[in-house]
Amino acid sequence: MLSDYRCFFCFIKSFSRLIERDLTSVEEKNSFTAEMASLYLEYKDNLVAPVFVAKLHEALFKYTGNADPYKQVKRESNDLVLSLYQGYKLKVLDSENPFDLALRLAIAGNIIDFAVKEEYDLEGTINNVLSADFAINHSDQLRQALKDADTVLYLGDNCGEIVFDKLLVETIDHPDLYFAVRGAPIINDATYEDALYVGVDKVAKLISNGNNAPSTIVNACSLEFQEIWEKADVVIAKGQGNLEGLWAEKQKKIFNLLMVKCDLIAESLKVNLNDFVIRCNQNN
């Protein structure tokens, strides 16, 4: 299980920003903070970080009535990367290795993660990832698995990032590729509405997973998603949240694509903070 005591301090850091921004009175701030602590005590012995984050957002909604507190920054992130999309698409098309370049760009997009911090250097991350040696690099296996697969399931992560995911999906050009997003707004994770906005539906079969966790918790997802999950030969899972939710899964071939943004993930993967990873779960 990819959770320990350090997760709670990340929760505090992330939600302190929302508390200051969205709660007006000291009484509300104190009350919600106490509720956070109480929920942590309830779940700490069986803590699944993405599930707990969803619980915290449900608790915060009772105070704010705002089901999508990151709505504006999600749109801004999508608009930012959409402004770069055509230029990078031309670079991919002109590349000697379009798959590798599109894969690297998709991983660079994983820096846009408001659960970790609200400021990010997308251009710097792109420059780093284009020349980086990946800490784990199973890209050749991924390329072959995609060629052999009848059905591919791509698990999206954050807004902005999904624009580069769209470019990778176009480059993969698989006839039966499903792109799954969250079932309800959570942090800056992409929903069906967000994915429609950037045109993912034009390059893949777009579906919602029917769940509001910032991850993929298969048994909590919709029956439609579970049916596609069962028939998929290959799963591409973006980001740390999807890694956390699917960490114990070994029967399904999963390729995790991410930038490592916390010590717990780094330790679990035996890599360093800020490393870039393309990992097949069946290699461990």
Side-chain angles (χ1 to χ4, degrees):
M1 183 166 58
L2 285 183
S3 300
D4 68 14
Y5 71 95
R6 288 169 289 187
C7 295
F8 184 63
F9 296 102
C10 286
F11 302 148
I12 292 173
K13 185 177 180 180
S14 177
F15 275 85
S16 65
R17 297 192 291 264
L18 292 175
I19 289 170
E20 290 302 319
R21 190 191 74 183
D22 295 343
L23 298 184
T24 56
S25 70
V26 173
E27 290 78 11
E28 283 184 327
K29 293 173 183 178
N30 286 338
S31 178
F32 178 72
T33 302
E35 193 165 349
M36 277 187 67
S38 177
L39 281 168
Y40 180 71
L41 290 175
E42 180 181 348
Y43 286 96
K44 67 180 178 64
D45 293 331
N46 191 29
L47 185 67
V48 179
V51 175
F52 187 68
V53 168
K55 295 291 184 184
L56 290 178
H57 274 278
E58 290 167 7
L60 185 63
F61 173 74
K62 293 185 297 184
Y63 292 83
T64 67
N66 183 2
D68 195 359
Y70 291 89
K71 186 177 183 67
Q72 180 178 344
V73 296
K74 289 196 299 178
R75 179 59 60 92
E76 290 170 356
S77 298
N78 279 336
D79 286 340
L80 170 63
V81 188
L82 281 171
S83 72
L84 306 173
Y85 169 76
Q86 286 298 335
Y88 278 110
K89 182 174 182 178
L90 290 175
K91 290 182 180 182
V92 168
L93 292 173
D94 290 341
S95 172
E96 293 182 1
N97 190 339
F99 178 75
D100 179 73
L101 179 53
L103 193 58
R104 287 172 179 269
L105 290 170
I107 293 173
N110 191 231
I111 189 66
I112 307 173
D113 187 348
F114 283 78
V116 178
K117 56 185 177 181
E118 293 187 355
E119 296 180 355
Y120 55 88
D121 181 4
L122 180 58
E123 182 179 355
T125 303
I126 291 172
N127 290 334
N128 287 339
V129 78
L130 292 184
S131 59
D133 293 325
F134 286 10
I136 302 173
N137 189 351
H138 299 155
S139 58
D140 288 341
Q141 289 176 247
L142 173 57
R143 187 194 300 262
Q144 187 59 51
L146 289 168
K147 289 180 180 178
D148 295 339
D150 291 325
T151 300
V152 177
L153 176 58
Y154 196 120
L155 306 178
D157 193 13
N158 301 315
C159 286
E161 179 180 358
I162 58 172
V163 179
F164 282 137
D165 292 330
K166 175 186 173 183
L167 183 52
L168 177 55
V169 169
E170 287 179 290
T171 306
I172 292 170
D173 192 26
H174 193 282
D176 194 32
L177 187 148
Y178 291 85
F179 192 100
V181 292
R182 310 302 185 216
I186 187 78
I187 322 177
N188 66 314
D189 290 35
T191 63
Y192 198 90
E193 177 185 358
D194 301 316
L196 284 177
Y197 181 73
V198 305
V200 173
D201 59 308
K202 302 296 194 297
V203 300
K205 299 173 182 178
L206 180 60
I207 62 167
S208 162
N209 71 8
N211 184 249
N212 71 334
S215 180
T216 302
I217 313 298
V218 177
N219 61 6
C221 290
S222 67
L223 290 177
E224 177 195 21
F225 175 87
Q226 291 183 36
E227 288 171 2
I228 295 166
W229 170 269
E230 287 301 318
K231 76 171 186 174
D233 305 297
V234 174
V235 176
I236 297 174
K238 291 296 297 297
Q240 290 191 165
N242 282 323
L243 176 70
E244 290 172 285
L246 298 170
W247 180 253
E249 175 62 51
K250 296 297 181 185
Q251 299 304 312
K252 184 73 65 178
K253 185 183 287 291
I254 301 171
F255 288 88
N256 299 107
L257 277 55
L258 68 149
M259 178 180 178
V260 177
K261 288 168 280 191
C262 80
D263 291 329
L264 177 59
I265 299 296
E267 291 169 11
S268 300
L269 294 176
K270 298 180 174 61
V271 300
N272 297 316
L273 200 63
N274 298 319
D275 276 349
F276 303 109
V277 167
I278 304 169
R279 165 193 176 263
C280 179
N281 67 324
Q282 295 183 348
N283 283 29
N284 299 312

